[in-house]
Amino acid sequence: MTELNSAASDKAAAGAMRAVFFWHGWSALMIAPVLLVLLLTGSAYLFDREFEQWWQQDSLELTPKGTAATLAQQQDFLRQQYPDWTINRVVLPDQPAHAVRWQLTAPDAVHLIYLDPYRLQIRADIDPATQPMAIVRRLHGELLAGPVGGYIIEWFSCWTLFLLLTGAWLWWPKHWRLSGVLVPRKRSDGRVHWRDWHAVLALVSSLALAFLVVSGMPWSTFWGKQFAQLGRDFSPQWHWVTPSPNFHLPDSVKTRAADPHHEHKMQAVQVHVTGGKESWVTEHHPAPASTHHHQPQIADISKVEPYLARLALDTYGPGVRIFYPATENDVFKINYVPDKAQGQQTLYIDPASGALLDDIGWQRYSALAKVVEWGTMTHLGRQYGVWNQWLNLLFCLLVLAALIAGLTLWWRRRKPGRWLPALQNTDSLPLGLKLSLLVLVILFPLLILSLLAFMLVRFWQNRIAA
């Protein structure tokens, strides 16, 4: 009886090992192309400001002379130069020797104007969508495929978490030792060599990869919107968990009425510019509405300039962008996103009266909103300065090396005519991994689609075999 139980236990353990190998390999092969794109574009994205400062050096850098024109004077100058265009936003320069960047919408295109504020001269007029770093951002966020690409990235990001869990299960040693567990074996060759390098590199970088995946999820196409919805569903009862700012506007201040066309109007001018993106928290929270109807084409930024003094620029550094009203009910928005998340601040100004409608700072974020914004700035390599950039780059390179080593190991181990090890009908994942997959499915519903597709394929294969 003992021998029978031992044999059954060994058979179950072998089946569990085959199942883990199968799911680990299947996940890896499925996400490898997208993960490769994300690693390469993410590595470049870490240095977006440095690259664009070099790329647009002739347009951006200037010699200060006299007193810079006010934003209102710059606005009036641009409206004289381009009377048929609409101003969308302005990104204030990081230093006095840089041009001010104004984004305008013409009837047929979006333009990014580099304006010398000292001489009121246009240094460059470019299409922001065609710039190298803009392409890198669209690759990183949506694979140049719009919302469909965003869904694909979100889908494979969820599977990356399960890939890390199955990899950890395969790595966990029966006998703890240094060689082959924490460092590659010196005299290993062939498959053992690639196995050790894959396991050790993945061990070193796995927590960083998990952090990058999780911290990027609030910006995802599907899950991010549902996550943000918590702020509207649970506020104010669960202040600590609501992703949106933990505040409510006074009864005297109206919020913007629900307009089914408003989102499309905003998307029409949302061409991402370095330093031109607002914070996640305020992006997903309804803005106050103007007290009077107005024409957004003639909104005057002079009503906004006095409020710039409320920003802690001396403490946290540059990062100011001002969004113009897009519709007759919209308001001016000053969005301050410095490198450190704790300095974030958003002010809403009525374009009709010039009144300050609200001032949202870090102290008014909920606990979870603070975690999201801290994670975002760390993800971007900005929260802790240059060390954050280079450490993120190092982890990206380590993950890339682990990915290459793993694919090489798979290529050497594969059987002729098979991409993955055979999976028997009785093979089953260990209970811990099953529960982990269940939790991931609950947290990230897009996983259900791929699981259903897998089950349909297996069902069809079994019918053919029968």
Side-chain angles (χ1 to χ4, degrees), residues 108-381:
D108 58 343
V110 176
H111 296 257
L112 184 62
I113 305 295
Y114 285 74
L115 180 64
D116 182 341
Y118 301 96
R119 303 166 182 85
L120 286 182
Q121 295 177 353
I122 296 174
R123 299 180 60 85
D125 177 356
I126 66 174
D127 179 358
T130 61
Q131 299 306 298
M133 197 51 64
I135 297 173
V136 167
R137 291 189 196 96
R138 295 205 304 275
L139 265 172
H140 192 74
E142 55 187 31
L143 301 176
L144 298 179
V148 174
Y151 282 113
I152 292 174
I153 287 179
E154 181 178 345
W155 182 13
F156 289 165
S157 296
C158 298
W159 273 111
T160 300
L161 297 176
F162 189 64
L163 174 72
L164 294 176
L165 291 174
T166 55
W169 194 92
L170 292 171
W171 167 84
W172 195 265
K174 294 181 180 179
H175 305 288
W176 286 91
R177 61 184 185 276
L178 187 64
S179 180
V181 176
L182 300 177
V183 296
R185 281 165 277 197
K186 292 182 178 179
R187 297 186 177 180
S188 63
D189 54 8
R191 293 187 298 179
V192 175
H193 169 83
W194 290 107
R195 179 266 169 205
D196 282 3
W197 277 105
H198 172 65
V200 172
L201 290 171
L203 171 67
V204 173
S205 59
S206 57
L207 289 180
L209 179 57
F211 168 78
L212 292 175
V213 170
V214 173
S215 60
M217 288 302 289
W219 295 94
S220 59
T221 304
F222 172 76
W223 190 86
K225 291 182 179 180
Q226 312 312 314
F227 184 59
Q229 185 65 34
L230 291 174
R232 294 183 284 274
D233 292 344
F234 292 112
S235 181
Q237 291 84 3
W238 291 8
H239 280 171
W240 66 273
V241 77
T242 54
S244 295
N246 181 9
F247 75 98
H248 293 276
L249 295 173
D251 293 337
S252 59
V253 178
K254 297 180 180 180
T255 56
R256 186 171 55 217
D259 178 4
H261 304 294
H262 181 269
E263 184 175 352
H264 300 291
K265 295 173 184 175
M266 292 298 294
Q267 288 177 350
V269 298
Q270 289 298 316
V271 178
H272 192 79
V273 181
T274 298
K277 187 75 172 176
E278 60 181 307
S279 60
W280 178 87
V281 168
T282 53
E283 184 177 277
H284 288 282
H285 196 278
S290 176
T291 54
H292 301 89
H293 290 301
H294 59 87
Q295 293 181 318
Q297 295 84 357
I298 60 172
D300 188 1
I301 202 171
S302 64
K303 293 183 173 66
V304 175
E305 288 187 89
Y307 295 105
L308 294 175
R310 300 174 69 99
L311 306 177
L313 298 175
D314 293 337
T315 303
Y316 295 105
V320 182
R321 67 297 313 274
I322 302 172
F323 295 84
Y324 273 69
T327 70
E328 61 182 12
N329 292 321
D330 284 344
V331 298
F332 274 110
K333 181 195 297 184
I334 301 176
N335 193 226
Y336 179 41
V337 184
D339 287 353
K340 288 190 176 296
Q342 294 88 333
Q344 291 183 8
Q345 189 175 357
T346 301
L347 292 82
Y348 296 98
I349 296 96
D350 191 330
S353 64
L356 178 64
L357 299 179
D358 206 15
D359 183 350
I360 308 168
W362 180 258
Q363 71 280 3
R364 297 176 71 178
Y365 286 12
S366 67
L368 192 56
K370 292 179 178 179
V371 171
V372 169
E373 290 298 347
W374 172 86
T376 297
M377 301 314 292
T378 306
H379 183 114
L380 293 172

Side-chain angles (χ1 to χ4, degrees), residues 40-55 133 136-137 274 379-382 385-394 396-397:
L40 294 176
T41 56
S43 298
Y45 202 167
L46 289 170
F47 300 91
D48 60 341
R49 292 180 297 187
E50 290 82 355
F51 174 83
E52 293 206 345
Q53 184 171 338
W54 166 78
W55 183 259
M133 197 51 64
V136 167
R137 291 189 196 96
T274 298
H379 183 114
L380 293 172
R382 297 179 181 175
V386 67
W387 287 104
N388 199 167
Q389 280 181 300
W390 288 103
L391 279 176
N392 282 19
L393 177 62
L394 174 62
C396 285
L397 295 177

Side-chain angles (χ1 to χ4, degrees), residues 19-29 162-164 166-168 170 198:
V20 176
F21 263 118
F22 177 87
W23 282 97
H24 188 70
W26 187 70
S27 302
L29 292 178
F162 189 64
L163 174 72
L164 294 176
T166 55
L170 292 171
H198 172 65

